[in-house]
Amino acid sequence: MNYVLFLLLGAGVAAAATPPPEAAACQACHGAHGEGMVGGDKPRLAGQSAHYLDKQLQDFASGARDNAIMSAIARSLNNQTRSKLAAYYAALPVPAALAVPTSLEHTTATAAQAGRGHQLAIEGAEGKRVQACNNCHGPEGSGVALSAPALAGQLAAYLAAQLKSFQQGSRKNDAGSLMRSVASQLDEADITAVASYYASIPSSH
Amino acid sequence: MVQQLKEVDVVVIGVGMVGSILAKELAAAGYKVVGLERGNTRFTVPEFQSPGIHDELRFDVRKALMQDNTREPVTFRNTSSQTGLPIRRWESFLPGTGLGGSMVHWNGQTYRFQANDFELATRTRERYGQGFLDPDITIQDWGVTYDELEPHYDRFEYLLGTSGKAGNLKGQIQPGGDPHESPRSREYPTPPQKEHYSGALFRKAANSLGYHPFPQPSSNLSQPYTNPEGLKMNTCVFCGFCERYACEHYAKSTPQTFILPVLLANPNFELRTGCQVQRINLDSTKQRATDVTYIDNAGREFEQPASLVITCLFAINNIRMLLLSGIGKPYDPATGKGVVGRNYAYQTMSTVASFFDEDVIVNPFMASGASGTLINDFAGDNFDHSGLGFIGGAFIGAVNTNGRPIQYHPTPPGTPAWGKGWKNAVVKHYNHTIMFSLHGSSVSQRQNYADLDPTYKDAWSQPLLRITFDFPKNDLKMAEYVTARGVEIGKAMGAKQVAGTPRKAPYTTQQYQTTHNTGGTVMGNDPSTSVVNRYLQSWDVPNVFVIGASAYPQNASWNPTGTLGALTYWVADALKNEYLKNPGRLVSP
């Protein structure tokens, strides 16, 4: 069933948009349909906001966001191509079938972790002075186009890695240091919990 | 049956900004402190989180964070010849309730008053002569000076992490700041917030007219900040839900962000919520408070004895607490004698709306409560009033605090009040209008006061407070003058149409103006014209201190919170260093 759905949606993608030739560089890690590297930490791009993706490419190119592979790729692209790629991936539907493996990751989280992740997402933690993730990232982490990326259906390993980068200060392209502030208050268990929680939510795109 | 409780060192009535700071100081100094709060406990998580906290109908229209005026309203009339009626729906001003007090729903505009303001009567006489003022005006000096308060202003701003740019550092004028401000000992703890587009246009126009624009000092922080209490706050995200709302981001400085976690962790402090204080009880000499009577949410009555009682309520509730307790002589406007309720004043707010063509895109919804750009060139006594026939002034600023859909829809004069014409005008102007706030001073005068209402009672059968107030002629003239200056700036910005709305009499409680009610328990050096001395200690009952904007003898051109914070630390020092070591009068009458 999932396989059939995947095929149908795959066909839909092909009909909706032909990948720009530069997308070949993306597909190796982020998948043929921008689904991300399931089981790894290369994020899903499909359905993410164009503004966010464009800004990340600019930040990789300028060095504001640090990643050796991405910086090299982003630097090889001009502004126009970055925007074109961002728009392409933003317009891609998230293949519903791919929500299954990500939600499987959730099963590795304990019930307590799932509860903690849900709590951090919708309510925050007063003891740690951490506000709800959804305040900025929207209901169920669906994203707010010009200000905060979608988290729903993102790969848990990627989310956890980013929270750790913000925590360690190696990622610092967040407006007003907001993510660095939040991540600095979280511990390892919180990060696992909240990353698993968002990975388990099917993207609403 | 009244339950007698065990005596403590200090009872703090009202656990808002003042109560939580003072309680923290005294508990840390080793005193047993009980805080009595009529409202509920509430914290950033979970009470202030999205999406619930952005409910405009609940918070903006229905005033969910405010004092419950089905149980405890205030009555109002314009003049003594009228009959006061209860305000059943808050509009003009919005007193809060609950842990953290009114500061939970404030805008974060964190000003200092100027040196001149604290000696207003003396300096006005000196500069403009004896006969300059209307004889009904009862302005007076505060009994404390700016220089005395400066270290306390500084401490308060560093507690909050206020974002701003100094204009006068130890007498040296600083580019980019307000050159009119009185000297400050150091820079703001954090740099100014980002300037809104409306502020940038205002800045350019104000500069072209030779004025001195500067960024509004904001306690919605421009960057992460850890305060001297060790509490970390976040950067404001310009969500546009400041005033009337609580902040979900730990970005607006409120007791919840800057002091309560430290206070509540101190075993010397006990918080009791749901406690409606009825009165402060006195002994037979009427010169000593023995205990406080309160009723809890279950209707049980308690007496809490204490050596020291500090009333830290919202300004108008401080007045009422003293009147209900028989502390100080009530003011009589017929004779001008008596002090409690005297010199009630407010704030004289005017507006200027500048309407632009559709190529000027303002994005009004993207705002913090205090990210404006403004000038002080027409505030206080920063300009010559000779021949103008009034004292005081206003800051003029593009202070864009929100663009919320239910309540924000500027339209030019002549627009129909409803229907298709109105809807079209809202669509046309929403994103292309810049609103100025003209935040005017308020003189005290003998006809304006507060007393206990002879008819109406609260849910506990206690008389309500009655406010008798209308705008003094002085302030109406001031409003006309500063509004004309605002209109000139709007025109210099290149607006297609500029509409100035100077504040007019009569004062109405049915239109929002500000929650800057002042006076009624005025501080000073003369017991015949003040309720409390310069340390905010009752002249009549020296183990009662009364702290709030109710202490202001008149109101200045700026939001009152910064000055109240400074007074709070000023009193904290007097209590710790003097009073508690040797209880008694800190000033001889």
Side-chain angles (χ1 to χ4, degrees), chain A residues 39-136:
Chain A
D41 63 356
K42 306 298 185 291
R44 172 171 71 74
L45 307 178
Q48 191 56 275
S49 97
H51 178 269
Y52 176 77
L53 293 176
D54 199 359
K55 179 176 185 298
Q56 300 315 303
L57 284 172
Q58 286 175 40
D59 289 351
F60 283 127
S62 73
R65 183 172 174 185
D66 189 25
N67 179 293
I69 297 167
M70 280 310 302
S71 293
I73 293 171
R75 279 181 195 139
S76 73
L77 307 169
N78 62 26
N79 282 338
Q80 202 185 354
T81 310
R82 285 182 209 134
S83 299
K84 188 167 66 177
L85 284 168
Y88 165 71
Y89 280 108
L92 281 185
V94 186
L98 294 182
V100 177
T102 53
S103 68
L104 286 177
E105 293 187 17
H106 187 209
T107 61
T108 64
T110 64
Q113 275 178 330
R116 176 66 173 170
H118 183 241
Q119 184 187 33
L120 288 168
I122 68 159
E123 181 179 290
E126 178 64 23
K128 299 195 167 189
R129 294 167 76 84
V130 168
Q131 66 271 45
C133 312
N134 287 354
N135 285 355
C136 292

